[in-house]
Amino acid sequence: MIQSREKKREVMDGRLSKRDRRLVSGKQGDATQYESAEDRSMQYSSELIQTMRQALETVMASVPAHQSVFGLKAAVAECILKAAAHGQTSYDGLVTTASDQIQAIVAMLN
């Protein structure tokens, strides 16, 4: 799971090599070490990736300093990725979905 979160973070930051992008998208070999079967089949357009990044930054900017805990940004990014995998692709929808989960994520990470 930690390796999977790191790969998701790398996807959100655009740091993956072409080979790793293929692994994450499920196009080459067995990518189960990186993603679940559901996430492995997803491919995101560059426009959606930009929308997800903007949504992540908006949500993180709204988090009060006393709630900002280690791992929060990665967990919010994972929430946004899951929402996109389930068809939520609008900026407002992604922000709302992630914002609604902040308290639960903070509680889980504490």
Side-chain angles (χ1 to χ4, degrees):
M1 186 66 167
I2 292 172
Q3 186 175 13
S4 177
R5 282 187 180 169
E6 176 61 25
K7 287 296 178 188
K8 286 178 184 178
R9 225 176 300 140
E10 289 175 3
V11 169
M12 289 296 286
D13 291 341
R15 296 182 294 176
L16 287 181
S17 68
K18 287 182 182 180
R19 179 183 174 276
D20 284 342
R21 283 188 198 121
R22 287 191 299 270
L23 286 173
V24 169
S25 68
K27 285 191 168 184
Q28 176 183 344
D30 181 14
T32 55
Q33 63 183 349
Y34 297 128
E35 302 293 327
S36 68
E38 173 186 324
D39 293 337
R40 189 175 62 229
S41 64
M42 286 302 301
Q43 287 187 323
Y44 302 110
S45 68
S46 58
E47 293 84 10
L48 180 55
I49 291 170
Q50 185 61 31
T51 300
M52 290 189 291
R53 283 184 184 147
Q54 290 169 343
L56 177 61
E57 293 308 316
T58 298
V59 171
M60 293 306 299
S62 71
V63 175
H66 71 277
Q67 287 187 326
S68 187
V69 296
F70 181 77
L72 180 61
K73 190 170 185 178
V76 172
E78 184 175 8
C79 177
I80 289 171
L81 282 166
K82 285 181 180 181
H86 286 93
Q88 180 58 261
T89 59
S90 73
Y91 168 81
D92 290 333
L94 293 170
V95 168
T96 299
T97 299
S99 295
D100 289 348
Q101 296 297 315
I102 287 291
Q103 296 304 318
I105 293 170
V106 169
M108 175 188 72
L109 294 174
N110 276 330

